[in-house]
């Protein structure tokens, strides 16, 4: 997670004292063309055109079909929408913190695209807590995430109006769409999910926001749209 | 139902559909409904015809865009049965959007 040890002594001895920081600002230049291409963008509102621009590059290199490209486009937009809708909770004063970054790394050697979405909002669970999501507090956060990501069949255990943090039945369909991606991993607040391996874990450290990563390779086609 | 055909290509609005609400970003479902879908829908209803909405030739649609655009008609006061009668979704290249949109209308 990149957080410092809580004990001051450890911070000084282990990190600063060890000379670790001498190597953080590396002078080594990585030749992008030999390893891959990275493109990134970021903003505080949903920008489908920017995402399309980024994905066009990967789609061209990987010879993705229109449907495959669409799947990634949709997922990125769902992530951004979640950031905008959830990031400030119901505190307008936090509006400035609705910020997201989206990057696509195309590994030319292995013909794999790696997608990463990060937002500095309040995270899924803090948002659910503020909006008094009915299951909040009664079951573990990791279990809640599992339910929110599940398809409509599994989600029958939650009443439609309770599926979304907004408590409106027409909301809350974005996370199951995100769950369609391959090798999907999510960190939000203190929950880590490796969706493909059905691992939903509680973390000791809390991250304020969400990180959503997925991969695409020509070897692992997703069901219908990726 | 009359023979006159009313057609709306989403690409007339945008090729990159965006979020749910106008204030969330560019090319939202709300904007599409207010400026394109609803006027054309009302025109079709007035003529006793069906509005054919064509989804192709755009990038992917987020669920919130589709829900706000089509489910939003119901929340705006239009009857589900009337919408189902006067609105036909066409998405031959990505057929999963059709049942998805109808479910948003039914569940709104």
């Amino acid at each position: 997670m990149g957080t410092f040890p809580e004990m001051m002594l450890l911070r000084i001895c282990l990190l600063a004292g060890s000379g670790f920081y001498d190597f953080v600002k590396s002078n080594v230049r990585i030749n992008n063309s030999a390893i891959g291409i990275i493109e990134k963008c970021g903003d505080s509102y949903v920008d489908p055109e920017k995402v399309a621009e980024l994905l066009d590059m990967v789609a061209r290199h990987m010879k993705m079909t229109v449907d495959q490209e669409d799947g990634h486009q949709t997922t990125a937009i769902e992530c951004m929408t979640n950031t905008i809708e959830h990031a400030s909770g119901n505190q307008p004063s936090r509006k400035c913190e609705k910020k997201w970054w989206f990057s696509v790394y195309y590994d030319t050697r292995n013909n794999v695209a790696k997608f990463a979405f990060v937002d500095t909002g309040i995270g899924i669970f803090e948002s659910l807590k503020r909006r008094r999501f009915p299951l909040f507090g009664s079951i573990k956060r990791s279990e809640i995430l599992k339910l929110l990501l599940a398809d409509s069949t599994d989600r029958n255990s939650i009443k439609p109006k309770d599926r979304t943090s907004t408590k409106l039945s027409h909301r809350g369909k974005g996370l199951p769409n995100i769950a369609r991606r391959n090798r999907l991993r999510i960190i939000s607040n203190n929950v880590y999910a490796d969706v493909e391996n059905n691992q939903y874990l509680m973390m000791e450290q809390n991250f304020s926001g969400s990180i959503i990563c997925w991969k695409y390779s020509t070897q692992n086609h997703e069901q219908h749209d990726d | 139902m009359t023979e006159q055909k009313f057609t709306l290509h989403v690409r007339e609005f945008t090729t990159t559909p965006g979020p749910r609400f106008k204030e969330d970003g560019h090319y939202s479902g709300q904007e599409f409904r207010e400026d394109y879908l609803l006027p054309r829908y009302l025109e079709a209803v007035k003529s006793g015809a069906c509005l054919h909405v064509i989804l192709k030739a755009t990038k992917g649609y987020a669920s919130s865009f589709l829900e706000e655009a089509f489910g939003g008609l119901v929340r705006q006061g239009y009857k589900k049965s009337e919408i189902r009668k006067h609105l036909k979704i066409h998405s031959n290249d990505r057929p999963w959007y059709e049942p998805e949109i109808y479910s948003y209308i039914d569940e709104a």
Side-chain angles (χ1 to χ4, degrees), chain A residues 45-49 52 56 67 69-70 73-74 77-78 81 84-85 169-171 173-174 177 180 224-225, chain B residues 16-21 24-27 58-64 67 75 93-94 96-97 100 104 107:
Chain A
Y45 57 90
V46 178
D47 192 341
E49 286 169 307
D56 277 347
D67 296 351
E69 191 181 346
D70 271 6
Q73 170 89 12
T74 307
I77 302 298
E78 300 281 13
T81 303
I84 306 305
E85 289 186 356
S169 59
H170 59 281
R171 309 287 286 274
K173 287 159 177 122
N177 279 349
R180 289 179 186 164
H224 62 250
D225 58 345
Chain B
T16 53
R20 178 183 294 276
F21 298 122
D24 295 341
H26 302 148
Y27 308 120
T58 67
K59 300 286 183 186
Y61 294 85
S63 57
S64 48
E67 204 292 323
R75 285 190 294 281
D93 53 343
R94 294 166 291 183
W96 54 91
Y97 284 135
E100 189 179 334
Y104 292 145
E107 289 171 19

Side-chain angles (χ1 to χ4, degrees), chain A:
Chain A
M1 288 293 296
T3 50
F4 288 109
E6 281 176 11
M7 278 178 65
M8 184 57 76
L9 188 64
L10 276 180
R11 281 191 204 187
I12 296 166
C13 297
L14 192 71
L15 291 171
S18 69
F20 172 79
Y21 289 117
D22 297 341
F23 298 93
V24 172
K25 285 183 181 172
S26 172
N27 293 322
V28 177
R29 288 185 67 84
I30 295 169
N31 179 0
N32 271 351
S33 62
I35 297 170
I37 303 159
I38 191 159
E39 295 282 349
K40 54 185 184 290
C41 62
D43 226 311
S44 54
Y45 57 90
V46 178
D47 192 341
E49 286 169 307
K50 256 186 203 172
V51 175
E53 252 174 59
L54 243 72
L55 289 176
D56 277 347
M57 177 274 294
V58 185
R60 217 172 35 245
H61 283 291
M62 295 187 81
K63 296 184 175 65
M64 278 184 199
T65 64
V66 173
D67 296 351
Q68 288 162 354
E69 191 181 346
D70 271 6
H72 300 297
Q73 170 89 12
T74 307
T75 300
I77 302 298
E78 300 281 13
C79 291
M80 284 170 202
T81 303
N82 281 344
T83 302
I84 306 305
E85 289 186 356
H86 299 278
S88 64
N90 38 21
Q91 290 187 341
S93 60
R94 287 185 62 112
K95 221 170 182 176
C96 59
E97 294 178 40
K98 290 177 181 177
K99 179 87 183 165
W100 56 260
W101 290 268
F102 178 57
S103 78
V104 184
Y105 172 70
Y106 173 51
D107 178 345
T108 51
R109 220 177 266 167
N110 300 304
N111 206 27
V112 173
K114 297 170 184 178
F115 302 86
F117 181 90
V118 181
D119 77 60
T120 55
I122 56 173
I124 295 169
F125 300 97
E126 191 56 35
S127 169
L128 293 178
K129 187 177 163 187
R130 289 181 187 188
R131 293 168 197 269
R132 300 198 176 123
F133 182 72
L135 293 175
F136 199 87
S138 57
I139 60 172
K140 272 168 74 175
R141 287 179 171 199
S142 47
E143 289 300 314
I144 292 176
L145 184 59
K146 201 172 180 177
L147 281 170
L148 292 175
L149 288 167
D151 66 24
S152 54
T153 318
D154 297 334
R155 300 171 95 219
N156 286 341
S157 55
I158 310 176
K159 289 176 194 166
K161 72 174 176 59
D162 294 341
R163 280 175 198 162
T164 163
S165 62
T166 56
K167 296 185 192 169
L168 296 171
S169 59
H170 59 281
R171 309 287 286 274
K173 287 159 177 122
L175 279 170
N177 279 349
I178 293 169
R180 289 179 186 164
R181 299 301 103 200
N182 268 320
R183 314 249 183 97
L184 177 69
R185 286 181 171 84
I186 298 175
I187 289 175
S188 194
N189 298 131
N190 59 345
V191 175
Y192 166 82
D194 174 349
V195 178
E196 190 173 69
N197 294 310
N198 200 30
Q199 266 195 320
Y200 293 82
L201 306 170
M202 299 295 292
M203 302 188 305
E204 282 183 20
Q205 295 287 338
N206 186 66
F207 174 69
S208 178
S210 300
I211 302 173
I212 300 170
C213 304
W214 69 96
K215 282 185 193 175
Y216 173 79
S217 78
T218 44
Q219 270 82 49
N220 55 20
H221 288 294
E222 288 170 19
Q223 281 174 350
H224 62 250
D225 58 345
D226 188 58

